[in-house]
Amino acid sequence: MNIKKKFFDYNIKQWSKQYLIINKKGNINICIKHNKKNIYIDLNKLINQKSLKKNILPIKLSFPQIIKQKINKIYLNFKKYIKKYKYNGKYLFIYPIKVNQQSYLIRSILKNIKNKIGLEAGSKSELMTILINSNKNVTIICNGYKDKKYIYLALLASKIGHKIFFVIEKIKEIKLILNVKIKNNFFIGIRSKLNSLELNKKINKNQIKFGLTSLQILKTIKILKKNNLLKKLKLLHCHIKSQINDINYIKIYLKEIINIYIDLIKIFKIKIKYLDLGGGLAVNYAEKNKMNYNIKTYASKIIKLIQYICKKNKTKTPNIITESGRFITAHHEILITNIVNTEKNNFYKIKPLKKNIITNKKNILIIKIWIIWNKIKKLTKKIKKNKEKYIFKLLNKIKINFKLGIYNLKIKSYIEKIYNNILKYIYKKKLIKNKKKLKYINLYTSDKIHINISLFQSLPDMWGAKQKFPILPIEGLNKPIKRYTNISDITCDSDGTIYQYINKKNINNTLPIQNFKSNKPPKIGIFMIGAYQKTLGNIHNLFGNIKTLIIYTRKNNKFKEISINKNDNISNMLRYTNTNKKKILLFLKRNKIHINKLNKYLKYKTYLE
């Protein structure tokens, strides 16, 4: 299925984990297993379908079967090493719904027949979402800040038939539990604030939002014992941070939490059954060799280390819980959009210098740069270091003169053409060795394209947390790279620009792209957006939700589409500005002459059509 290696592949194998390939046509195929067979869907062909073609972009494509495969992969590895090391305990995967709270996704996760899965809630709203979208007998871990109503709702969930764990993260929460008349089948967990956190130099233990210190754990035990609730304490929980790239860091915090577990059992005779290690299993979005482990190493190290320390201390091994939400959801969602504007940076035709410029001594720099351009465009060998220094000194002087306003608009425009041509030719022929300078030249001479999305709505982590997402065309990848571009969104905010892109080896400041006609640009895919982006997105410039298409694969490369979450129209977005229906009606009444046209505009989607 793959195209020839000589073409640029955007390091797809590294970050897509075999879920994406480039087909013979040069289009991106998504690859999903169905009954042990690979089903391939051509993304470009899917978007070009007659049923989807009309004003479809931008659109999100969701593949819940990828989530199922990811969960099964976690279980496969944990079960493998439980058996290999003869570990006397079970493994349970808990999905923290804050990662992606969409109802279709929660239902898809719980449909996993092979393995039992639990869910984690961090608020009353999340808990209610879980209850509505799940059947009975689901293990639910209640994290986050709690009030009486949160606790009452959780107790109601236990009456319905769910297995509830209240995780105490603040001393205050024990009193809330005690004040409620409890007769239900529920359990208590405690979250430990680990000293290992301080290995991260940016974090001080005192700055950590959640968890109990050693002193607070002892105090909690006393209160629970006094109120005859110590028998309900069954879970010990910790969470270091998301995206831990170093397995050695995981081993350090693992040792600390296991020793706390052993102390609770040996010193206080508490029958802890579950050790919840939280999240942290990293997802490699783009950067080569950033992670020094994989899911096999992760499962192996956890089982082996817990087994070793518990055996050494003659303590029963706990059942293990992990909450790797990002790991299972990141790959399942893709955003596909169209290019709405292209600014190609081509070589300019340079006219000969006019006599009035040549004869004027003030224009000596212009004459020099013109001479340099005429020499450089004939070069085939690398420029010598002394000449390279001379050229860049001259270019810097011109930049200073631009700032000082020495040249008028016509002369400035003429110089900019020569300036651009010199840099573009140096990069094209790689006439210098300096990598930093080449990187700067590549950015300076790159094209600009605008894509039909809001970075703040669809990729908030890219803007707020500098997260890198794989971005590339979904078509034409069987053609060689001819251009480099940088991408901006359609908001009127200068922050709506993407600054980092995937290269073959690592990250670059421009996107390598095949040559294309401005009136027929390729569709752009943004990948691995399944974790956090949906709920973190904001409504900057009142750009709304993007239509989502859920796709389930069937036999013989067929698939079923379910459309949810249509594109928000202008009318939908007005509710965020406290413009209610009454205000809209009053506005329409005041403008009766244009009422039909205005009504039409209210129904238009917020993105470009």
Side-chain angles (χ1 to χ4, degrees), residues 569 571-572 574-589 599 602:
N569 59 30
S571 182
N572 296 148
L574 293 178
R575 70 183 186 270
Y576 294 105
T577 65
N578 291 316
T579 306
N580 57 33
K581 284 182 180 179
K582 283 183 181 179
K583 288 178 182 176
I584 294 169
L585 286 168
L586 283 169
F587 165 71
L588 292 172
K589 280 178 184 178
N599 254 322
L602 285 166

Side-chain angles (χ1 to χ4, degrees), residues 320-361:
I320 297 165
I321 291 172
T322 65
E323 301 178 14
S324 308
R326 189 191 295 265
F327 178 82
I328 69 155
T329 58
H331 288 88
H332 94 281
E333 198 163 82
I334 301 164
L335 170 59
I336 295 174
T337 188
N338 52 316
I339 295 171
V340 293
N341 182 51
T342 306
E343 295 172 29
K344 288 190 175 181
N345 190 343
N346 295 315
F347 281 104
Y348 294 103
K349 287 182 179 179
I350 308 296
K351 291 177 182 178
L353 288 169
K354 290 179 180 179
K355 281 185 180 180
N356 62 332
I357 293 172
I358 296 167
T359 52
N360 193 336
K361 289 180 181 180

Side-chain angles (χ1 to χ4, degrees), residues 230-242:
L230 205 55
K231 61 186 175 183
K232 293 278 187 184
L233 182 54
K234 298 293 179 188
L235 181 140
L236 176 62
H237 174 47
C238 70
H239 175 75
I240 294 292
K241 62 170 190 156
S242 296

Side-chain angles (χ1 to χ4, degrees), residues 18-77:
Q18 309 301 318
Y19 293 113
L20 298 173
I21 62 164
I22 303 169
N23 66 26
K24 287 177 182 178
K25 292 178 182 176
N27 298 340
I28 294 280
N29 270 9
I30 190 147
C31 173
I32 299 166
K33 277 190 178 178
H34 181 80
N35 294 335
K36 295 182 180 180
K37 287 185 178 180
N38 287 335
I39 306 292
Y40 298 96
I41 300 172
D42 185 325
L43 295 180
N44 191 50
K45 194 176 174 182
L46 174 68
I47 298 301
N48 288 341
Q49 279 184 49
K50 286 180 183 177
S51 58
L52 294 177
K53 213 169 182 181
K54 194 179 177 183
N55 295 331
I56 190 66
L57 300 176
I59 191 170
K60 285 180 184 177
L61 303 177
S62 176
F63 301 88
Q65 283 158 304
I66 288 177
I67 294 170
K68 185 183 175 182
Q69 288 172 28
K70 286 278 197 174
I71 293 169
N72 290 342
K73 195 173 185 179
I74 291 176
Y75 267 99
L76 183 75
N77 282 283

